[in-house]
Amino acid sequence: MIRALQWWDLDEVLTIEAEVFAANAWSAETFWAELARDDRYYAVAQQGERIVGYAGLWFNPPQADVQTLAVAPAAQGTGLGRRLLSHLVDGARERGCEQLHLEVRADNDAAIGLYRRSGFVLLRRRERYYPDFSDALVMGLDL
Ligand SMILES: CC(C)(COP(=O)(O)OP(=O)(O)OC[C@H]1O[C@@H](n2cnc3c(N)ncnc32)[C@H](O)[C@@H]1OP(=O)(O)O)[C@@H](O)C(=O)NCCC(=O)NCCS
């Protein structure tokens, strides 16, 4: 089931965040600040009682951005990333957005594969964009 993220999901979300993003993980404060904004939408994927993934959207029609997307390591490769992304695409359309953009590390093959499969195209490359000097790809989808 994919549904809106509630504040009581944050403990589980933060555990996944630390597992998948390690040193680059967002803090609890960052999530709280994101959830407090009215131009954001966050969703979780729930299996039974457990949260197994989450995704966030920044919408400012006609533009929207994917803020984050993550699936717990044990649940990766089962289609959840694709479903969460598709949920954000629908959410952006419902809010009147016409383009959805995102940034992804140029060496993140799994994420880039997912975005390409979902119709995103490469818009530009930002060289040495991240603190460790790796490049970012900016990708976009016309909604
Ligand atoms: C990127 C991520 C969200 C993908 O989620 P997922 O649930 O594992 O992906 P799915 O099972 O939905 O797969 C969807 C598509 O992604 C691509 N993909 C997924 N894993 C891949 C891998 N290891 N290598 C290459 N492509 C991959 C494939 O194109 C796949 O489509 P296919 O199954 O038809 O071939 C997940 O790997 C993740 O959380 N990674 C760590 C956090 C992260 O990097 N987030 C993105 C930040 S921009």
Side-chain angles (χ1 to χ4, degrees):
M1 168 177 56
I2 295 183
R3 59 163 176 81
L5 189 156
Q6 307 293 338
W7 65 264
W8 52 83
D9 300 319
L10 273 185
D11 278 354
E12 282 180 277
V13 164
L14 285 163
T15 300
I16 299 172
E17 177 80 9
E19 282 174 334
V20 301
F21 293 117
N24 299 313
W26 283 3
S27 65
E29 289 72 23
T30 298
F31 272 100
W32 280 110
E34 285 286 296
L35 295 181
R37 296 187 56 139
D38 58 11
D39 57 356
R40 301 288 200 272
Y41 170 68
Y42 279 80
V44 292
Q46 182 176 344
Q47 279 179 352
E49 296 295 306
R50 294 188 65 96
I51 303 301
V52 287
Y54 53 91
L57 185 72
W58 174 2
F59 51 93
N60 183 25
Q63 175 74 37
D65 281 74
V66 175
Q67 290 290 88
T68 189
L69 171 65
V71 172
Q76 288 179 8
T78 64
L80 281 170
R82 191 197 295 266
R83 288 181 53 209
L84 278 163
L85 183 61
S86 159
H87 185 78
L88 290 191
V89 168
D90 291 346
R93 282 201 188 105
E94 283 163 14
R95 291 168 174 82
C97 298
E98 291 164 19
Q99 284 111 34
L100 180 57
H101 286 183
L102 58 82
E103 271 156 18
V104 57
R105 291 175 67 104
D107 60 1
N108 191 343
D109 293 337
I112 293 167
L114 166 61
Y115 299 140
R116 285 197 191 285
R117 271 277 229 245
S118 301
F120 283 78
V121 296
L122 177 63
L123 299 179
R124 58 192 170 274
R125 187 178 189 107
R126 292 191 173 139
E127 291 190 10
R128 299 163 71 81
Y129 178 76
Y130 292 105
D132 66 356
F133 302 121
S134 49
D135 295 352
L137 304 185
V138 180
M139 302 183 77
L141 176 73
D142 288 332
L143 300 172

